[in-house]
Amino acid sequence: MAQAEKKGGLLWKSSASKKPLKEKVVLMYDEIFMTEDPSKCSPRFWEELFLMKVNLEYLESKLESLDGEELMKIKDNINCLFQHCIQALGEEHPIRVVNALQTLCALIRGVHQKNKSTSGFDIINMLMGFDKAELCMKNLMESLDSLLCAEGSESLKSLCLKLLLCLVTVTDNISQNTILEYVMINSIFEAILQILSNPPSRREHGYDAVVLLALLVNYRKYESVNPYIVKLSIVDDEATLNVSNQQYKDKEEEHQSGFFSALTNMVGSMFIADADEKISVQTNEAILLALYEAVHLNRNFITVLAQSHPEMGLVTVPISPIPTTPVTPLGTTPPSSDVISSAELPLDADVQTSNLLITFLKYSSIVMQDTKDEHRLHSGKLCLIILTCIAEDQYANAFLHDDNVNFRVNLHRMPMRHRKKAADKNLPCRPLVCAVLDLMVEFIVTHMMKEFPMDLYVRCIQIVHKLLCYQKKCRVRLHYTWRELWSALINLLKFLMSNETVLLAKHNIFTVALLVVNLFNMFITYGDTFLPTPSSYDELYYEIIRMHQNFDNLYSMVLRLSTNAGQWKEPASKVTHALVNIRAIINHFNPKIESYAAVNHISQLSEEQVLEVVRSNYDTLTLKLQDGLDQYERYSEQHKEAAFFKELVRSISINVRRNLAFNTLSQEVLLKEFSTIS
């Protein structure tokens, strides 16, 4: 008997005739693509269709092969297929439900592909018909909600989430996807939350659920009331914790319940270390976006940032690791959970607790090392935006600066020729704000290059300023090596001056220069209220005097440009005015230091001798009071960052769509799972 082999829905006989035989489901699809109602001749047509294994490839390609006019001719049959798919979702027979879900995915994708052509017909009308669209989508969303919340098959839940991701990402710009209006009206927020509140469910579906929520939150977020934004902003994770705790008494599970904890695990899983301890990380914009939305929209989440997770990363396998294939870094199909082992998530020596903030700071320290790649640049920017929101929050600041809660945070430092590799074991236990400052200093020191990431530098210095404003306001005397920050800032000024011509061709470098000078003004004016000791204040003056040549050169540069009538006149003059107190310090102390050296016949003074001159001459120093040094403009997404987030969500949407896989479930696997089927 001749053997048959299958190619694209056709069965080819290996006999001499080579006449193809179509499989039954393909013949049924062909009937749908006729103008006649297929159930006229075969009353059980729709019943039988959903018992057949879906041929996604054939169905999608068939839809794509038709032009707009041809598709309109079979609109009634397409509408009928769509409605019967929704009806099949309510069936008890799970194979029917799976086939209906996969068929819906193919229909939505195929019809949307056609919309890219010039025909311009309306997608909602094509899929459902205008008159039935509202009821159709209501029934669809209710069915998906029921399937996601039921205790049944994990494969069905997985397909439901993939269908929703398909629905959300069919257009590059999700705000142009009109079908999402129905997803707003018929919210599935609670279903997503339930998946994330249940540890076993979250292990299976957490990644897709978080990505879906991050995308839904960004649908027309500035144009109308988005219910997902409203609901996310008022989530109290305790309620979610309580629901979960009734079912899971195990302490390990209690630590990891709720939407916020799902994010905790996922951010934690973004670390991948290989054997020789070189650290690489996949940027994952979708999870970072979800983390940002939680931090930005929900003040309750700030408290979760600070919660300790005993041995987090030491014993816990990440819930949903991100894809590790470099070609598709932003996909939504996570690999198996054995990709990242607990050994690959090292915590700092001797520390048995961690929290999301520590994990996030470590992740940021890796992502921000390399900003030449566009995805990493976006991720680095998003990390700094998240830190900006944290630095503005009163509760977060209270935790960051709490002297009674200390951590060792081993940030990743870029290898540089002029500095030694830090010995990790010698890291001191300090309040977490020290790690944030270390991260900012590390960025400042390591990104002085011709392709100057100006925007990231501005954010970085603003974060430091916001932390100083909190310290000044609450009189927090932080024991930190401030000299490292001062040195980094002065070297940054030196770099800006050395590369003035190249940088001014692309950037207004006076924005950064003004921020740096005003940070020094903050220390000069208010340092006595937040620097740890009087000697720290003396060291500030010592650094300014020691590096006076850089401030003198900066003054010469801005004076030159502010006296010309060019485009930099106004920004340069602002820096000129801001330098008044720094110049007063230099002009006051330098002659006294030279006089001290001459009287004592010393060619080169030691640091202690300079400090002695400084301490004995404070009383004759006159400084001007500068207004607004401890004020800042609060972060505003809509007015400043809308374009960035629109592009970011577009990038995520494209990548999610590219990596969606609907046909990964073989019929054998399903039959095994649905063992109740006769």
Short mmCIF file of all heavy atoms in Angstrom, two decimals, residues 608-654:
data_model
loop_
_atom_site.label_atom_id
_atom_site.label_comp_id
_atom_site.label_asym_id
_atom_site.label_seq_id
_atom_site.Cartn_x
_atom_site.Cartn_y
_atom_site.Cartn_z
N GLU A 608 46.41 67.27 54.90
CA GLU A 608 46.12 67.74 56.25
C GLU A 608 46.47 69.22 56.43
O GLU A 608 45.75 69.96 57.09
CB GLU A 608 46.87 66.87 57.28
CG GLU A 608 46.34 66.98 58.71
CD GLU A 608 44.81 66.92 58.82
OE1 GLU A 608 44.20 65.93 58.34
OE2 GLU A 608 44.22 67.88 59.36
N GLN A 609 47.56 69.64 55.80
CA GLN A 609 47.96 71.05 55.89
C GLN A 609 46.96 71.95 55.16
O GLN A 609 46.61 73.03 55.64
CB GLN A 609 49.37 71.22 55.30
CG GLN A 609 50.46 70.66 56.21
CD GLN A 609 51.80 70.55 55.50
OE1 GLN A 609 51.88 70.31 54.30
NE2 GLN A 609 52.89 70.71 56.27
N VAL A 610 46.49 71.50 54.00
CA VAL A 610 45.48 72.28 53.26
C VAL A 610 44.20 72.37 54.09
O VAL A 610 43.58 73.44 54.20
CB VAL A 610 45.19 71.65 51.88
CG1 VAL A 610 44.03 72.37 51.19
CG2 VAL A 610 46.43 71.68 50.99
N LEU A 611 43.79 71.22 54.68
CA LEU A 611 42.57 71.20 55.50
C LEU A 611 42.70 72.14 56.70
O LEU A 611 41.72 72.78 57.10
CB LEU A 611 42.27 69.77 55.97
CG LEU A 611 41.73 68.81 54.89
CD1 LEU A 611 41.72 67.38 55.40
CD2 LEU A 611 40.34 69.21 54.44
N GLU A 612 43.89 72.24 57.23
CA GLU A 612 44.13 73.15 58.38
C GLU A 612 43.89 74.60 57.95
O GLU A 612 43.25 75.38 58.66
CB GLU A 612 45.57 72.97 58.86
CG GLU A 612 45.89 73.71 60.16
CD GLU A 612 47.37 73.60 60.52
OE1 GLU A 612 47.95 72.50 60.35
OE2 GLU A 612 47.92 74.62 60.96
N VAL A 613 44.39 74.97 56.75
CA VAL A 613 44.17 76.32 56.22
C VAL A 613 42.67 76.56 55.99
O VAL A 613 42.14 77.63 56.32
CB VAL A 613 44.95 76.52 54.89
CG1 VAL A 613 44.65 77.90 54.28
CG2 VAL A 613 46.44 76.35 55.09
N VAL A 614 41.98 75.55 55.45
CA VAL A 614 40.55 75.67 55.18
C VAL A 614 39.79 75.93 56.47
O VAL A 614 38.98 76.86 56.58
CB VAL A 614 40.01 74.39 54.47
CG1 VAL A 614 38.49 74.38 54.45
CG2 VAL A 614 40.56 74.29 53.05
N ARG A 615 40.05 75.08 57.49
CA ARG A 615 39.31 75.20 58.76
C ARG A 615 39.53 76.56 59.43
O ARG A 615 38.61 77.11 60.03
CB ARG A 615 39.75 74.09 59.73
CG ARG A 615 39.27 72.70 59.31
CD ARG A 615 39.60 71.65 60.36
NE ARG A 615 39.46 70.29 59.82
CZ ARG A 615 40.48 69.49 59.53
NH1 ARG A 615 41.73 69.89 59.74
NH2 ARG A 615 40.27 68.29 59.03
N SER A 616 40.72 77.08 59.30
CA SER A 616 41.02 78.34 60.00
C SER A 616 40.59 79.58 59.22
O SER A 616 40.76 80.71 59.69
CB SER A 616 42.51 78.42 60.33
OG SER A 616 43.28 78.25 59.15
N ASN A 617 40.00 79.39 58.02
CA ASN A 617 39.62 80.56 57.22
C ASN A 617 38.16 80.56 56.76
O ASN A 617 37.78 81.33 55.88
CB ASN A 617 40.53 80.68 56.00
CG ASN A 617 41.92 81.16 56.37
OD1 ASN A 617 42.14 82.34 56.62
ND2 ASN A 617 42.86 80.22 56.45
N TYR A 618 37.34 79.67 57.36
CA TYR A 618 35.91 79.65 57.03
C TYR A 618 35.24 80.99 57.36
O TYR A 618 34.39 81.49 56.63
CB TYR A 618 35.18 78.55 57.81
CG TYR A 618 35.20 77.17 57.18
CD1 TYR A 618 35.50 76.04 57.94
CD2 TYR A 618 34.88 76.98 55.84
CE1 TYR A 618 35.51 74.76 57.39
CE2 TYR A 618 34.89 75.70 55.27
CZ TYR A 618 35.20 74.60 56.05
OH TYR A 618 35.21 73.34 55.49
N ASP A 619 35.63 81.55 58.51
CA ASP A 619 34.90 82.72 59.04
C ASP A 619 34.98 83.94 58.13
O ASP A 619 34.12 84.82 58.17
CB ASP A 619 35.40 83.08 60.46
CG ASP A 619 36.91 83.20 60.53
OD1 ASP A 619 37.58 82.83 59.54
OD2 ASP A 619 37.42 83.67 61.56
N THR A 620 36.00 84.02 57.29
CA THR A 620 36.12 85.20 56.41
C THR A 620 35.59 84.93 54.99
O THR A 620 35.70 85.78 54.12
CB THR A 620 37.60 85.64 56.31
OG1 THR A 620 38.39 84.49 55.95
CG2 THR A 620 38.09 86.20 57.65
N LEU A 621 35.02 83.73 54.78
CA LEU A 621 34.47 83.38 53.47
C LEU A 621 33.05 83.91 53.33
O LEU A 621 32.22 83.74 54.21
CB LEU A 621 34.48 81.85 53.30
CG LEU A 621 33.79 81.29 52.04
CD1 LEU A 621 34.53 81.70 50.77
CD2 LEU A 621 33.68 79.77 52.12
N THR A 622 32.76 84.56 52.22
CA THR A 622 31.41 85.07 51.95
C THR A 622 30.81 84.32 50.76
O THR A 622 31.40 84.30 49.68
CB THR A 622 31.45 86.58 51.63
OG1 THR A 622 32.13 87.25 52.69
CG2 THR A 622 30.05 87.15 51.49
N LEU A 623 29.66 83.72 50.99
CA LEU A 623 28.96 83.00 49.92
C LEU A 623 27.59 83.62 49.67
O LEU A 623 27.00 84.20 50.57
CB LEU A 623 28.78 81.53 50.30
CG LEU A 623 30.06 80.70 50.50
CD1 LEU A 623 29.71 79.31 51.03
CD2 LEU A 623 30.86 80.58 49.20
N LYS A 624 27.09 83.46 48.44
CA LYS A 624 25.76 83.96 48.10
C LYS A 624 24.73 82.86 48.33
O LYS A 624 24.99 81.70 48.03
CB LYS A 624 25.71 84.40 46.63
CG LYS A 624 26.44 85.70 46.36
CD LYS A 624 26.18 86.18 44.95
CE LYS A 624 26.85 87.53 44.70
NZ LYS A 624 26.64 88.01 43.32
N LEU A 625 23.57 83.23 48.84
CA LEU A 625 22.49 82.25 49.02
C LEU A 625 21.82 82.02 47.67
O LEU A 625 21.37 82.96 47.02
CB LEU A 625 21.47 82.77 50.04
CG LEU A 625 20.39 81.76 50.45
CD1 LEU A 625 21.00 80.56 51.16
CD2 LEU A 625 19.35 82.42 51.34
N GLN A 626 21.79 80.77 47.25
CA GLN A 626 21.18 80.44 45.95
C GLN A 626 19.84 79.74 46.17
O GLN A 626 19.75 78.80 46.95
CB GLN A 626 22.14 79.54 45.15
CG GLN A 626 23.41 80.29 44.72
CD GLN A 626 24.43 79.36 44.07
OE1 GLN A 626 24.81 78.35 44.65
NE2 GLN A 626 24.87 79.70 42.88
N ASP A 627 18.83 80.23 45.48
CA ASP A 627 17.47 79.71 45.67
C ASP A 627 17.24 78.43 44.86
O ASP A 627 17.84 78.23 43.80
CB ASP A 627 16.43 80.75 45.24
CG ASP A 627 16.46 81.98 46.16
OD1 ASP A 627 16.78 81.80 47.35
OD2 ASP A 627 16.19 83.09 45.66
N GLY A 628 16.33 77.62 45.37
CA GLY A 628 15.82 76.47 44.60
C GLY A 628 16.75 75.29 44.48
O GLY A 628 16.47 74.35 43.72
N LEU A 629 17.84 75.27 45.22
CA LEU A 629 18.78 74.15 45.10
C LEU A 629 18.17 72.84 45.59
O LEU A 629 18.52 71.76 45.12
CB LEU A 629 20.07 74.44 45.90
CG LEU A 629 20.99 75.53 45.35
CD1 LEU A 629 22.13 75.79 46.32
CD2 LEU A 629 21.54 75.15 43.97
N ASP A 630 17.27 72.94 46.58
CA ASP A 630 16.65 71.73 47.14
C ASP A 630 15.25 71.49 46.56
O ASP A 630 14.43 70.80 47.17
CB ASP A 630 16.60 71.81 48.66
CG ASP A 630 15.81 73.02 49.14
OD1 ASP A 630 15.59 73.95 48.33
OD2 ASP A 630 15.40 73.03 50.32
N GLN A 631 14.99 72.05 45.38
CA GLN A 631 13.70 71.84 44.70
C GLN A 631 13.95 71.07 43.41
O GLN A 631 15.02 71.18 42.82
CB GLN A 631 13.06 73.19 44.33
CG GLN A 631 12.90 74.15 45.49
CD GLN A 631 11.91 73.64 46.53
OE1 GLN A 631 10.83 73.16 46.17
NE2 GLN A 631 12.27 73.72 47.80
N TYR A 632 12.97 70.29 42.98
CA TYR A 632 13.10 69.62 41.69
C TYR A 632 11.73 69.42 41.07
O TYR A 632 10.72 69.42 41.75
CB TYR A 632 13.83 68.28 41.82
CG TYR A 632 13.17 67.27 42.74
CD1 TYR A 632 12.09 66.49 42.31
CD2 TYR A 632 13.64 67.08 44.04
CE1 TYR A 632 11.49 65.56 43.14
CE2 TYR A 632 13.06 66.15 44.89
CZ TYR A 632 11.98 65.39 44.44
OH TYR A 632 11.39 64.47 45.27
N GLU A 633 11.74 69.27 39.74
CA GLU A 633 10.50 69.01 39.01
C GLU A 633 10.20 67.52 39.10
O GLU A 633 11.05 66.69 38.79
CB GLU A 633 10.68 69.41 37.54
CG GLU A 633 9.42 69.35 36.72
CD GLU A 633 9.65 69.70 35.25
OE1 GLU A 633 10.75 70.17 34.91
OE2 GLU A 633 8.73 69.47 34.44
N ARG A 634 9.00 67.19 39.55
CA ARG A 634 8.64 65.77 39.72
C ARG A 634 8.48 65.08 38.36
O ARG A 634 8.15 65.72 37.36
CB ARG A 634 7.36 65.63 40.55
CG ARG A 634 7.56 65.99 42.01
CD ARG A 634 6.34 65.66 42.85
NE ARG A 634 6.14 64.23 42.97
CZ ARG A 634 6.76 63.45 43.86
NH1 ARG A 634 7.64 63.96 44.70
NH2 ARG A 634 6.50 62.16 43.92
N TYR A 635 8.71 63.80 38.38
CA TYR A 635 8.62 62.98 37.16
C TYR A 635 7.19 63.02 36.61
O TYR A 635 6.22 62.88 37.35
CB TYR A 635 9.01 61.53 37.48
CG TYR A 635 8.72 60.57 36.35
CD1 TYR A 635 9.55 60.52 35.23
CD2 TYR A 635 7.62 59.72 36.39
CE1 TYR A 635 9.29 59.65 34.18
CE2 TYR A 635 7.35 58.84 35.34
CZ TYR A 635 8.19 58.81 34.24
OH TYR A 635 7.92 57.95 33.21
N SER A 636 7.07 63.23 35.31
CA SER A 636 5.75 63.23 34.66
C SER A 636 5.87 62.44 33.36
O SER A 636 6.55 62.85 32.43
CB SER A 636 5.30 64.66 34.36
OG SER A 636 4.18 64.65 33.51
N GLU A 637 5.20 61.31 33.31
CA GLU A 637 5.30 60.45 32.12
C GLU A 637 4.65 61.09 30.91
O GLU A 637 5.24 61.18 29.84
CB GLU A 637 4.64 59.09 32.40
CG GLU A 637 4.71 58.16 31.20
CD GLU A 637 3.83 56.93 31.34
OE1 GLU A 637 3.88 56.26 32.40
OE2 GLU A 637 3.10 56.63 30.39
N GLN A 638 3.42 61.56 31.10
CA GLN A 638 2.64 62.02 29.95
C GLN A 638 3.29 63.19 29.22
O GLN A 638 3.32 63.26 28.00
CB GLN A 638 1.22 62.39 30.37
CG GLN A 638 0.32 62.70 29.18
CD GLN A 638 -1.13 62.86 29.57
OE1 GLN A 638 -1.51 62.59 30.70
NE2 GLN A 638 -1.96 63.29 28.65
N HIS A 639 3.84 64.12 29.99
CA HIS A 639 4.37 65.33 29.38
C HIS A 639 5.79 65.16 28.84
O HIS A 639 6.19 65.83 27.90
CB HIS A 639 4.32 66.49 30.38
CG HIS A 639 2.93 66.81 30.83
ND1 HIS A 639 2.48 66.54 32.10
CD2 HIS A 639 1.88 67.33 30.15
CE1 HIS A 639 1.20 66.89 32.20
NE2 HIS A 639 0.82 67.37 31.03
N LYS A 640 6.55 64.28 29.45
CA LYS A 640 7.96 64.17 29.06
C LYS A 640 8.32 62.86 28.35
O LYS A 640 9.23 62.82 27.54
CB LYS A 640 8.85 64.29 30.31
CG LYS A 640 8.74 65.64 31.04
CD LYS A 640 9.60 66.68 30.35
CE LYS A 640 9.55 68.02 31.05
NZ LYS A 640 10.30 68.03 32.30
N GLU A 641 7.63 61.78 28.69
CA GLU A 641 8.09 60.46 28.25
C GLU A 641 7.12 59.73 27.32
O GLU A 641 7.35 58.57 26.99
CB GLU A 641 8.36 59.56 29.47
CG GLU A 641 9.22 60.19 30.54
CD GLU A 641 10.65 60.45 30.06
OE1 GLU A 641 11.03 59.94 28.99
OE2 GLU A 641 11.38 61.17 30.76
N ALA A 642 6.04 60.38 26.92
CA ALA A 642 5.01 59.69 26.12
C ALA A 642 5.60 59.08 24.85
O ALA A 642 5.29 57.93 24.51
CB ALA A 642 3.89 60.66 25.77
N ALA A 643 6.46 59.80 24.15
CA ALA A 643 7.04 59.30 22.89
C ALA A 643 7.91 58.07 23.15
O ALA A 643 7.86 57.09 22.38
CB ALA A 643 7.87 60.39 22.22
N PHE A 644 8.69 58.10 24.24
CA PHE A 644 9.55 56.96 24.57
C PHE A 644 8.72 55.71 24.85
O PHE A 644 9.01 54.63 24.32
CB PHE A 644 10.42 57.29 25.80
CG PHE A 644 11.12 56.09 26.40
CD1 PHE A 644 12.15 55.46 25.72
CD2 PHE A 644 10.73 55.59 27.63
CE1 PHE A 644 12.79 54.35 26.26
CE2 PHE A 644 11.36 54.48 28.18
CZ PHE A 644 12.39 53.86 27.49
N PHE A 645 7.67 55.85 25.65
CA PHE A 645 6.85 54.69 26.01
C PHE A 645 6.05 54.17 24.81
O PHE A 645 5.86 52.97 24.66
CB PHE A 645 5.95 54.99 27.20
CG PHE A 645 6.68 54.89 28.50
CD1 PHE A 645 7.11 56.04 29.16
CD2 PHE A 645 7.00 53.66 29.06
CE1 PHE A 645 7.82 55.95 30.34
CE2 PHE A 645 7.70 53.56 30.24
CZ PHE A 645 8.11 54.71 30.89
N LYS A 646 5.62 55.09 23.95
CA LYS A 646 4.90 54.66 22.74
C LYS A 646 5.81 53.77 21.89
O LYS A 646 5.39 52.71 21.40
CB LYS A 646 4.45 55.90 21.95
CG LYS A 646 3.62 55.56 20.72
CD LYS A 646 3.22 56.82 19.97
CE LYS A 646 2.46 56.48 18.69
NZ LYS A 646 2.10 57.67 17.91
N GLU A 647 7.05 54.19 21.71
CA GLU A 647 8.01 53.43 20.90
C GLU A 647 8.40 52.12 21.59
O GLU A 647 8.55 51.08 20.94
CB GLU A 647 9.26 54.29 20.64
CG GLU A 647 10.17 53.77 19.53
CD GLU A 647 9.43 53.42 18.24
OE1 GLU A 647 8.61 54.22 17.75
OE2 GLU A 647 9.69 52.30 17.72
N LEU A 648 8.54 52.17 22.91
CA LEU A 648 8.90 50.97 23.69
C LEU A 648 7.80 49.91 23.58
O LEU A 648 8.07 48.73 23.33
CB LEU A 648 9.12 51.35 25.16
CG LEU A 648 9.55 50.22 26.09
CD1 LEU A 648 10.98 49.78 25.80
CD2 LEU A 648 9.43 50.65 27.55
N VAL A 649 6.55 50.34 23.77
CA VAL A 649 5.41 49.41 23.70
C VAL A 649 5.29 48.85 22.28
O VAL A 649 4.99 47.67 22.10
CB VAL A 649 4.09 50.11 24.14
CG1 VAL A 649 2.89 49.22 23.89
CG2 VAL A 649 4.17 50.47 25.63
N ARG A 650 5.56 49.67 21.30
CA ARG A 650 5.54 49.21 19.89
C ARG A 650 6.59 48.10 19.69
O ARG A 650 6.30 47.06 19.10
CB ARG A 650 5.84 50.41 18.99
CG ARG A 650 5.83 50.11 17.51
CD ARG A 650 6.34 51.33 16.73
NE ARG A 650 6.37 51.09 15.31
CZ ARG A 650 5.35 51.29 14.50
NH1 ARG A 650 4.22 51.75 14.96
NH2 ARG A 650 5.46 51.04 13.21
N SER A 651 7.78 48.33 20.20
CA SER A 651 8.87 47.35 20.08
C SER A 651 8.50 46.03 20.78
O SER A 651 8.71 44.94 20.24
CB SER A 651 10.15 47.94 20.70
OG SER A 651 11.10 46.95 20.94
N ILE A 652 7.92 46.14 21.98
CA ILE A 652 7.51 44.95 22.73
C ILE A 652 6.41 44.21 21.98
O ILE A 652 6.45 42.99 21.83
CB ILE A 652 7.03 45.35 24.15
CG1 ILE A 652 8.21 45.84 24.99
CG2 ILE A 652 6.36 44.17 24.86
CD1 ILE A 652 7.82 46.54 26.28
N SER A 653 5.43 44.96 21.46
CA SER A 653 4.30 44.36 20.75
C SER A 653 4.78 43.56 19.54
O SER A 653 4.36 42.43 19.31
CB SER A 653 3.34 45.47 20.30
OG SER A 653 2.26 44.93 19.60
N ILE A 654 5.71 44.14 18.77
CA ILE A 654 6.24 43.46 17.58
C ILE A 654 6.94 42.16 17.98
O ILE A 654 6.77 41.12 17.35
CB ILE A 654 7.20 44.39 16.81
CG1 ILE A 654 6.41 45.55 16.16
CG2 ILE A 654 8.00 43.63 15.76
CD1 ILE A 654 7.27 46.68 15.64
#
